[in-house]
Amino acid sequence: MMTNLDLTRRSLIASAAALPLIGLAQTARAKAPMLGPATTRFNRFMLGEFEVTTLLSNSLSVPDPHNIFGLNVSAEDFADASEKAKLPTDKSQFFFTPTVVNSGAELVLFDTGQSSGDITAALGAAGYAPDQIDIVVITHMHGDHIGGLIHEGSATFPNARYVTGAVEFDAWAGMESQKFDSNMKPLADKTTMLAPDASIISGITAVESFGHTPGHMTYMIESDGQMLLIAADFANHYVWSLAHPDWEVKFDMDKAAAATTRRKLLDMLSTDRIPFVGYHMPWPAVGYVDKHGDSYHYVPESYQLSL
């Protein structure tokens, strides 16, 4: 004998069975277009009383990374190290990450990316305009660091003064470099030339890091007992440079000195547990260093700087 309760259960089951078909029809009508890969252009955190913003000025895929990293090791060794790190060997991804430090009194930009368009767009995404920049610090004179200094023949940052290492500036002034001549040299009269250990402003100190270029400098940021290294290009890949600090890098002008600097800074970062911004590290380019035997391991910052 069938009760009213049985009829009610059967009705519910039948209704439920029809729901997936209705859902499919609605999903088909609501199909959205593919939007393509995307990421943020800025990442901001506090370091004591300082506000730090990393900027993704550009990112690009580069073929044949063994032509750049590990020039002194075999293809087999490079492939083995890459396989262990789950990295492809036919191409790699480069990130270009200038950094803004707001001291509360001055807005300081470290490096300017490959072009004025790149750095202006990244600054705009972060809420800044080029005319707000008070100081532009150039860690070294490679084109992907000085490329954004000039826009259509004029200074991209019209109200800024400029700071760089004296050794670096003098070395490039004696070379043939179209990018240096067009972008950095016209700003020489507005540029302060620093020696290692000199301060830009209170809490920002130059750190000698020669090797990648003749006068390459990194910069230690310190506020309320917290520290952060603007590390520029002393290490250019989170595996091929950190796990293998003695591997030669194509863009290191003095490869032996660069390797010595790499180990020195990696030891300091690891021992003192200091976070760093690596110009070419995976976006958002902020991380820590762990020492593993004779090599090092990159640990991306997660929430440590947000606490």
Side-chain angles (χ1 to χ4, degrees):
M1 179 178 177
M2 186 175 293
T3 66
N4 288 336
L5 181 58
D6 292 328
L7 287 171
T8 302
R9 286 174 176 165
R10 286 191 176 188
S11 298
L12 288 172
I13 292 169
S15 298
L19 282 175
L21 296 177
I22 295 170
L24 285 173
Q26 290 175 340
T27 300
R29 286 197 300 273
K31 184 172 68 174
M34 296 289 186
L35 298 178
T39 189
T40 59
R41 292 293 298 269
F42 73 96
N43 177 59
R44 183 173 290 133
F45 56 92
M46 296 300 296
L47 187 85
E49 295 297 315
F50 287 1
E51 189 175 73
V52 180
T53 305
T54 59
L55 304 171
L56 183 61
S57 66
N58 197 14
S59 176
L60 58 88
S61 180
V62 177
D64 190 16
H66 191 205
N67 188 47
I68 301 173
F69 298 97
L71 302 184
N72 55 335
V73 301
S74 68
E76 292 75 18
D77 286 346
F78 183 82
D80 181 61
S82 301
E83 171 65 24
K84 288 176 180 176
K86 299 178 175 59
L87 289 169
T89 56
D90 60 331
K91 56 186 174 182
S92 61
Q93 192 73 15
F94 268 66
F95 304 87
F96 302 84
T97 313
T99 299
V100 172
V101 175
N102 188 345
S103 71
E106 292 179 288
L107 204 59
V108 184
L109 172 65
F110 292 84
D111 293 327
T112 67
Q114 295 170 297
S115 73
S116 59
D118 287 344
I119 188 61
T120 299
L123 282 169
Y128 302 123
D131 61 5
Q132 290 180 285
I133 301 298
D134 297 300
I135 304 171
V136 176
V137 181
I138 299 299
T139 61
H140 64 292
M141 301 298 168
H142 278 159
D144 58 326
H145 295 255
I146 65 172
L149 283 171
I150 300 294
H151 177 70
E152 296 181 351
S154 299
T156 306
F157 310 100
N159 299 319
R161 64 183 179 92
Y162 302 84
V163 174
T164 197
V167 171
E168 181 74 356
F169 188 94
D170 291 345
W172 286 83
M175 302 181 201
E176 291 186 7
S177 170
Q178 183 274 328
K179 186 66 74 173
F180 174 84
D181 290 345
S182 64
N183 283 34
M184 189 70 234
K185 192 177 284 187
L187 302 171
D189 62 341
K190 296 181 180 180
T191 301
T192 300
M193 309 296 176
L194 289 186
D197 300 322
S199 293
I200 298 172
I201 62 172
S202 179
I204 302 181
T205 305
V207 178
E208 179 180 323
S209 309
F210 300 172
H212 179 65
T213 58
H216 179 277
M217 292 245 250
T218 56
Y219 289 85
M220 189 65 76
I221 315 299
E222 186 169 6
S223 176
D224 281 356
Q226 296 187 50
M227 301 174 75
L228 171 79
L229 185 70
I230 306 295
D233 284 14
F234 92 92
N236 281 339
H237 193 273
Y238 77 106
V239 172
W240 298 321
S241 292
L242 268 71
H244 307 279
D246 297 321
W247 280 11
E248 292 182 356
V249 180
K250 179 179 180 178
F251 301 116
D252 287 346
M253 295 174 71
D254 184 332
K255 292 173 173 48
T260 298
T261 290
R262 212 158 19 247
R263 283 196 173 276
K264 176 183 176 182
L265 290 182
L266 289 171
D267 272 337
M268 177 193 73
L269 293 171
S270 174
T271 300
D272 296 339
R273 302 173 67 87
I274 299 172
F276 75 104
V277 178
Y279 195 78
H280 298 296
M281 292 297 117
W283 177 251
V286 185
Y288 296 84
V289 176
D290 270 348
K291 188 166 186 179
H292 286 230
D294 200 37
S295 67
Y296 306 85
H297 179 68
Y298 180 69
V299 181
E301 191 269 342
S302 52
Y303 55 78
Q304 297 96 323
L305 297 174
S306 299
L307 297 176

